[in-house]
Amino acid sequence: MKADKNLWILVFVCVINSLGFGIIVPVLYTYGKTFGLTGTTLGILTATFSIAQFFATPVLGSLSDKWGRKPLLVISLAGTCISFLMFAEARSLIVLFAARILDGLTGGNVSVAQAMVADTANAQNRAKRFGILGSAFAFGFVIGPVVGGSFSALSAQAPFFFAAGISLLGTLCAAFLLKETNPTNKETRSKKQYHFKFSTMLTTLKRKTVGTAVFIGFILTMAQFTMVIGFQTFSVDVLKISPTQMGIFLAGFGICGIIMQLCVPFFIKVFKSKPLILMISTLLCFAAMFLSGLNSLLIPFAIWLCIYGLFNGLRNPMLNAIIADNIDKSEQGKILGINQSYASIGQTLGPITAGLIAVISIHSIFFLSSFYILVAFLLSFRLKSNA
């Protein structure tokens, strides 16, 4: 019961944290233009967060293995709060970049939260708990843009102050309500010598099951962020829908993922095998993405993209559970941090590759995304053989 209470407190913290991030999405470009932000520099500004997170996340995850999850989660949330305040008080483009870098460097909240779930879960309920946690993050991202757009009517700085406020609330909840799931003391810390090396990023990929799962997560993240670029350009240039309609579309896409993540226990009960569920969902994602690229009409495009959104929602719960099932408790923070780092690379490379192939056609972006998914599907056979 105590573990369940801690899980729901963690869910609340994650909703608050992702809500704060979602709030700034619709207002960041407009706000940054006052400091000279352009479409090109917006891409660089977005990439700086992912790059900083790539280097910081495995380090923070490893530190949480030694010093405990709670202090690292509090530090991560506090860093996000400070970064939003920097945005609100910014007077130059340099400050905006500094804020995104700070948020990236302290952006270990996802992997630390996942490690906290893994600490108290077992093989039977691990995927379910990861699904609940994933739906918490997704919920914040879905409603965040709506809240951000509403607060922008008050002032340009209002969304950032509000995001800082709720991030502070999340920090306080983590500090005073969450229970530590990886308790340490002087004696246990002395046995956990901290020697994280970035070469571990490569050696992790060599581990048969864990490395395959991490790489599949990287490929599927790249596919998703490739699709996001295709969706934006296709919606504007082909479907001719308005920003409001696009926002509703994205919200629907996010809700599809939330629904599927909450259904994880059902799929586990029916199929028993996590690798098998991943294989089936990935194959369906491939088909939906490929068929999306063949369409130029709104209704068929929306149907296929929603099917993709549904089954893509199973990705993280299954992969995180497979990884956690195959690692020692003493390295959960480190490995889940490395997993998040590779996801950060995928978030960066996806839009870049989408931009490069867009010179062929808008439809080719969806075909590229489906190719990535197909690669992930073929790799998932390695997980099935190890199950």
Side-chain angles (χ1 to χ4, degrees), residues 328-356:
D328 187 78
K329 185 175 180 179
S330 63
E331 60 174 356
Q332 282 178 154
K334 177 178 71 176
I335 300 301
L336 289 170
I338 289 172
N339 182 48
Q340 190 61 36
S341 285
Y342 277 106
S344 297
I345 302 175
Q347 292 172 16
T348 304
L349 292 181
I352 292 173
T353 57
L356 292 174

Side-chain angles (χ1 to χ4, degrees), residues 125-285:
N125 63 16
R126 189 168 281 132
K128 172 185 175 182
R129 288 169 178 260
F130 277 125
I132 293 172
L133 191 70
S135 63
F137 278 110
F139 180 73
F141 286 128
V142 168
I143 65 174
V146 178
V147 177
S150 300
F151 271 88
S152 64
L154 300 177
S155 72
Q157 291 82 11
F160 301 100
F161 280 122
F162 184 75
I166 63 172
S167 295
L168 177 60
L169 178 60
T171 305
L172 295 175
C173 287
F176 296 107
L177 298 180
L178 268 181
K179 302 295 182 182
E180 177 60 70
T181 60
N182 181 36
T184 63
N185 53 43
K186 187 174 182 180
E187 182 180 350
T188 58
R189 286 194 293 268
S190 65
K191 295 178 182 178
K192 298 179 181 179
Q193 296 298 320
Y194 174 74
H195 293 299
F196 180 80
K197 298 179 180 179
F198 278 95
S199 59
T200 309
M201 299 282 291
L202 294 177
T203 57
T204 297
L205 291 180
K206 296 178 182 179
R207 296 169 65 167
K208 193 170 182 181
T209 300
V210 173
T212 301
V214 169
F215 191 69
I216 288 174
F218 157 69
I219 292 291
L220 290 177
T221 301
M222 191 158 63
Q224 180 177 344
F225 280 79
T226 299
M227 178 277 297
V228 168
I229 298 300
F231 169 79
Q232 291 174 322
T233 53
F234 188 79
S235 297
V236 173
D237 296 340
V238 178
L239 299 179
K240 309 292 184 182
I241 63 176
S242 68
T244 301
Q245 292 171 316
M246 192 185 302
I248 294 172
F249 205 144
L250 285 172
F253 179 83
I255 291 170
C256 287
I258 292 173
I259 292 171
M260 193 60 81
Q261 289 181 85
L262 292 176
C263 291
V264 164
F266 168 78
F267 288 100
I268 291 291
K269 184 177 181 179
V270 172
F271 294 99
K272 311 297 183 184
S273 168
K274 299 178 188 108
L276 178 60
I277 295 171
L278 180 68
M279 288 176 64
I280 295 171
S281 62
T282 304
L283 182 60
L284 290 170
C285 283

Side-chain angles (χ1 to χ4, degrees), residues 286-309:
F286 162 74
M289 186 59 63
F290 186 82
L291 291 169
S292 295
L294 295 177
N295 277 287
S296 295
L297 300 174
L298 176 59
I299 300 302
F301 179 74
I303 291 172
W304 292 122
L305 212 60
C306 283
I307 292 174
Y308 168 78

